[in-house]
Amino acid sequence: MRIGELSKASGVSTPTIKFYLREGLLPKGEATGRNQARYDDAHLRRLRLVRALLEVGGLSIASARDVIAALDDSDLGAHKILGVAQHTAARSIAFCDEESRTAAVAAVRAMLDRLGWRVGRDDPAVFAAAEVVGAIRQLGHGELVDRLDDYARTLEPIADLDMAAVTSRGDIDGMAEAVVVGNVLGDELIAALRHLAQGDRSAELFGRRPESNR
């Protein structure tokens, strides 16, 4: 397909596609003449991934280029490549002081050991979780994090669903895209569903009927 057709199929403007080509986010097409090239479905899949990295994952051009380089590195296995994509979705915001953070990091790592989760002790998600654990304890709600193992175990089936969605993709670009989109938007979906479940349990516990918005 020509670049105009690629633009129409992907929903990405021609100037933006040319920008991605210059920045090394998209491989060059097969030259068919002066200033002309042919593109294929691989370019279309890569464009979807680039959009996911930039628009959903919120990466900078430089960071997205690093992810693309990892995907194109034949020496990396699928697990490591998907780890790179997963880290793009990691959010780490400073919620607590240094003392609380240090204690919380130790608590999260101890939880990993108890559950036998095969996750690196310096994984970005460890520190992201620790920030939240430390903040909750600072606010005097330690009873929530006292059940950290229970909370973690409830997420194992969700992780299974996530991996099933990822592995259903037939190519590494599609798998990486699923990781980025699934983590960023999936986190929002899980939060919303959790609120709905809390509303249901609250109604059951306190005998309240749902309020209609109509």
Side-chain angles (χ1 to χ4, degrees):
M1 69 185 85
R2 299 281 184 86
I3 193 168
E5 296 171 312
L6 179 62
S7 173
K8 184 177 181 179
S10 65
V12 180
S13 69
T14 297
T16 299
I17 292 175
K18 291 180 177 179
F19 172 71
Y20 291 164
L21 287 166
R22 290 195 303 270
E23 292 296 324
L25 297 175
L26 190 67
K28 294 181 180 180
E30 178 187 355
T32 57
R34 186 178 180 183
N35 297 326
Q36 290 187 344
R38 181 184 295 113
Y39 302 91
D40 56 23
D41 288 342
H43 291 88
L44 185 58
R45 290 192 297 271
R46 178 57 58 89
L47 270 175
R48 290 183 57 184
L49 173 61
V50 171
R51 292 188 69 182
L53 293 173
L54 299 177
E55 298 174 17
V56 179
L59 267 65
S60 66
I61 294 294
S63 296
R65 191 185 298 115
D66 290 342
V67 174
I68 295 299
L71 295 178
D72 292 336
D73 185 349
S74 59
D75 292 333
L76 289 181
H79 178 67
K80 289 185 177 180
I81 289 174
L82 295 180
V84 172
Q86 184 186 49
H87 290 176
T88 68
R91 298 289 188 268
S92 184
I93 303 172
F95 288 124
C96 59
D97 59 40
E98 188 61 35
E99 182 179 355
S100 298
R101 184 180 301 109
T102 299
V105 167
V108 173
R109 286 173 173 168
M111 178 206 72
L112 293 176
D113 291 339
R114 288 192 300 271
L115 297 181
W117 284 8
R118 291 158 289 188
V119 179
R121 294 174 65 81
D122 291 327
D123 188 290
V126 169
F127 301 104
E131 288 287 350
V132 180
V133 168
I136 290 174
R137 288 201 182 280
Q138 276 186 200
L139 292 171
H141 292 276
E143 69 278 1
L144 292 174
V145 293
D146 287 342
R147 303 194 65 180
L148 192 60
D149 290 20
D150 295 329
Y151 278 108
R153 288 192 184 96
T154 65
L155 294 172
E156 290 178 333
I158 294 177
D160 290 336
L161 290 172
D162 290 339
M163 290 301 97
V166 168
T167 55
S168 69
R169 299 299 184 103
D171 61 284
I172 198 66
D173 277 19
M175 293 170 72
E177 179 193 351
V179 171
V180 175
V181 174
N183 274 287
V184 176
L185 298 185
D187 285 353
E188 297 299 324
L189 175 61
I190 290 171
L193 293 175
R194 180 189 185 189
H195 295 162
L196 292 173
Q198 288 174 343
D200 173 70
R201 293 301 185 268
S202 176
E204 180 180 7
L205 182 61
F206 300 112
R208 296 185 62 183
R209 294 183 178 181
E211 297 178 1
S212 175
N213 291 326
R214 286 184 277 178

